[in-house]
Amino acid sequence: MGFVVISYDISDDGTRTKVANMLLDHGTRVQYSVFEFLIDENRLDELVGRLKDFPECGDSIRVYHICEGCLKKAIILGRGEFEKEVGFHIV
C-alpha cells in the first residue's frame, strides 16, 4: 500500500465531474480538485490508466507518490487528517 495524492485542473465541467467521481470511488476528497489515496500499485495503475484519456489541451492530472517518511513530516493546517484506511467498494 502506498499513499498517493492526485490533483487535477480540468476546464470542461462534464469531464471534471467524471474525473472527480472516478477518484471518489478510490480515495478521499481533501480539496475541490485534490484527492488522497491509500492504494496498492495494481489499483493505482488501473486508475491512472482510466484517467489518461481525460486531460485535453491545457488540462492536467497529477499523481504524487508520498513516501511514509515524507508523510510523517507533512503538516495539515486547519481541519482534516490523512487517509488512514483503505476503502473497499463492493459492487
Side-chain angles (χ1 to χ4, degrees), residues 5-10 15 19 22-23 47-48 50-56 58-64:
V5 174
I6 298 179
S7 66
Y8 59 82
D9 182 9
I10 297 175
T15 302
V19 168
M22 187 181 302
L23 295 176
L47 179 59
V48 169
R50 292 174 59 201
L51 290 169
K52 282 183 180 179
D53 293 333
F54 286 103
E56 295 179 5
D59 294 343
S60 70
I61 299 174
R62 296 174 180 236
V63 179
Y64 300 96

Side-chain angles (χ1 to χ4, degrees), residues 1-5 36-41 44 64-68 71 83 85-86:
M1 284 300 150
F3 192 85
V4 175
V5 174
E36 293 178 346
F37 303 81
L38 190 56
I39 190 169
D40 66 53
E41 283 298 317
L44 179 60
Y64 300 96
H65 292 260
I66 310 294
C67 74
E68 188 174 333
L71 188 58
E83 180 75 18
E85 296 180 19
V86 178

